[in-house]
Amino acid sequence: MRILVTGGAGFIGSHLCERLLNEGNEVICLDNFFTGRKANVAHLLDDKSFELVRHDVTEPIMFEVDQIYNLACPASPVHYQYNPVKTVKTNVMGTLNMLGLAKRVRARILQASTSEVYGDPHVHPQTEDYWGNVNPIGLRSCYDEGKRVAETLMMDYHRQSGVDTRIVRIFNTYGTRMLENDGRVVSNFIVQALRGEELTIYGDGSQTRSFCYVSDLVEGFIRLMNAVDGDVHLPVNMGNPGEFTMNELAEQVGMATGKEIRIKYLDLPQDDPKQRKPNIDRARALLNWEPTIPLAEGLIKTAEYFRNEIEVK
Ligand code: NAD
Ligand code: UDP
């Protein structure tokens, strides 16, 4: 198959491109390199089945493809809040452009949505039928509401025009190829620990998150994209149900890096969700999918990666 991956030079996208190529597909990786980088896909450039295209999804583009994975969008709060209007445009106009393309060339399309559609959730763990608790005017809204509109567009193109759509609600995912300055908690803690710096915990560290290793997520993406039986058009949560406070995560990072941990407590950012944990019953039933890599193991792999990344500087 010929497959388009938008945001393909980013953290998750680069792992997805690699996996799709390994399975014998042709892959077009489209990226504007805002938070992605050529280095993430440099090892794929010699593959004759791989093409790298610099393009912004807010502008229309035309390719003959069979499948589209729409991942283009900065994922870290630091980066998506840098230019919030652009974040909305990427989610709304970018998704519209990719849906228009899918409709025109009859490609199946998968949207990378997010657990952020649940906002600061009142239902715990989060199930797909929960509508969420999102502040429409806060600092995270450009991302949260942008992704919610993207989901709306996916469902409306499906209902109105019969486009073959898939939606994954991704919970916090981590692994190799995250940027050193990504700003998300796992990369921050690992980089700080390796450098012997204090770990920056926002708030009192009692807020929880559930962390999924990237290869588990990519497996889920491919299963959902290729699934045909059941309610495949409705959103599917993907994440690791293991739930940790940020204080517990700091301890785990200490063990994975073999470093003694010192902590600095900083202010909690606005609208920071207090708890988050996926209910993945739907993914289990629909795709026979669940994560296989526990946090301790994934942190060791990620720490190994950053140890090399930081050393080469
Ligand atoms: P990332 O920032 O590493 O990757 C995003 C990629 O999209 C980058 O390569 C970036 O350059 C590219 N991009 C951004 N705006 C673009 C635009 N307008 N046109 C073309 N390319 C653009 O982040 P990631 O963690 O790999 O996230 C990938 C997708 O998964 C995103 O849509 C994100 O919202 C979603 N997601 C990720 C997580 C997570 O924990 N990693 C959680 C929920 C959702
Ligand atoms: N966080 C933290 N220290 C950091 C970065 C993040 O304590 O250096 C916290 C953040 O406040 C949030 C959690 O870790 O409660 C996860 O943050 P991240 O930005 O990784 O993802 P998101 O908030 O989007 O789930």
Side-chain angles (χ1 to χ4, degrees):
M1 269 189 282
R2 186 178 296 149
I3 302 177
L4 172 64
V5 179
T6 78
F11 156 54
I12 298 172
S14 62
H15 286 279
L16 178 63
C17 288
E18 192 176 276
R19 172 81 193 265
L20 293 170
L21 280 172
N22 284 341
E23 292 182 353
N25 300 291
E26 283 179 37
V27 173
I28 303 173
C29 167
L30 180 157
D31 209 293
N32 72 349
F33 300 116
F34 175 43
T35 50
R37 36 179 193 169
K38 279 191 194 150
N40 284 344
V41 290
H43 61 298
L44 307 177
L45 289 172
D46 285 340
D47 190 325
K48 61 180 183 349
S49 300
F50 183 74
E51 273 176 85
L52 178 60
V53 179
R54 179 189 284 268
H55 181 80
D56 196 301
V57 286
T58 58
E59 301 291 338
I61 193 162
M62 174 65 190
F63 295 109
E64 288 291 340
V65 288
D66 304 297
Q67 294 185 340
I68 302 168
Y69 288 87
N70 189 32
L71 274 63
C73 178
S76 165
V78 179
H79 296 299
Y80 71 63
Q81 289 168 17
Y82 171 75
N83 184 343
V85 173
K86 179 64 191 262
T87 300
V88 174
K89 281 188 186 167
T90 296
N91 278 312
V92 179
M93 292 159 66
T95 305
L96 262 175
N97 286 331
M98 289 307 120
L99 278 162
L101 173 62
K103 181 178 168 188
R104 184 155 165 197
V105 303
R106 295 179 195 278
R108 188 177 290 173
I109 177 167
L110 179 147
Q111 171 66 19
S113 185
T114 170
S115 53
E116 291 283 317
V117 300
Y118 302 121
D120 192 1
H122 291 154
V123 167
H124 192 75
Q126 291 77 56
T127 45
E128 288 90 347
D129 57 3
Y130 176 50
W131 290 355
N133 173 39
V134 175
N135 176 357
I137 56 166
L139 296 178
R140 294 175 86 101
S141 317
C142 59
Y143 184 77
D144 300 6
E145 297 287 18
K147 290 283 187 183
R148 285 168 70 99
V149 173
E151 287 198 7
T152 307
L153 286 168
M154 294 289 286
M155 292 308 297
D156 282 336
Y157 266 75
H158 174 62
R159 284 184 289 244
Q160 193 177 330
S161 308
V163 175
D164 196 359
T165 53
R166 306 283 187 277
I167 299 170
V168 180
R169 291 189 180 148
I170 307 167
F171 285 66
N172 299 59
T173 298
Y174 69 101
T176 61
R177 303 200 195 119
M178 292 183 92
L179 290 176
E180 178 187 332
N181 66 351
D182 178 89
R184 281 175 282 185
V185 68
V186 173
S187 45
N188 273 8
F189 281 6
I190 291 180
V191 169
Q192 289 161 345
L194 290 174
R195 291 195 170 133
E197 295 169 2
E198 292 172 311
L199 270 57
T200 52
I201 291 188
Y202 303 159
D204 64 6
S206 63
Q207 71 271 36
T208 67
R209 294 292 186 274
S210 303
F211 299 100
C212 184
Y213 193 69
V214 62
S215 55
D216 281 332
L217 180 74
V218 166
E219 174 66 33
F221 270 25
I222 291 175
R223 286 195 195 192
L224 180 61
M225 179 64 112
N226 295 294
V228 284
D229 294 327
D231 289 332
V232 292
H233 307 295
L234 294 177
V236 180
N237 286 342
M238 284 188 194
N240 191 322
E243 184 183 9
F244 297 86
T245 65
M246 295 312 103
N247 289 319
E248 288 167 341
L249 178 68
E251 258 176 54
Q252 293 267 340
V253 166
M255 287 188 269
T257 54
K259 301 280 186 182
E260 201 169 310
I261 294 304
R262 290 175 301 126
I263 289 171
K264 175 162 72 178
Y265 287 93
L266 300 175
D267 289 345
L268 191 67
Q270 190 195 82
D271 292 337
D272 200 272
K274 282 181 268 315
Q275 52 181 4
R276 189 183 288 154
K277 169 186 161 106
N279 173 313
I280 58 165
D281 289 351
R282 228 173 97 63
R284 281 200 183 99
L286 194 65
L287 312 169
N288 193 23
W289 175 87
E290 65 183 355
T292 59
I293 302 193
L295 182 63
E297 186 183 333
L299 287 179
I300 289 173
K301 289 176 196 274
T302 312
E304 195 54 42
Y305 167 79
F306 276 115
R307 203 171 269 126
N308 294 328
E309 276 291 289
I310 293 171
E311 267 168 18
V312 293
K313 295 238 157 64

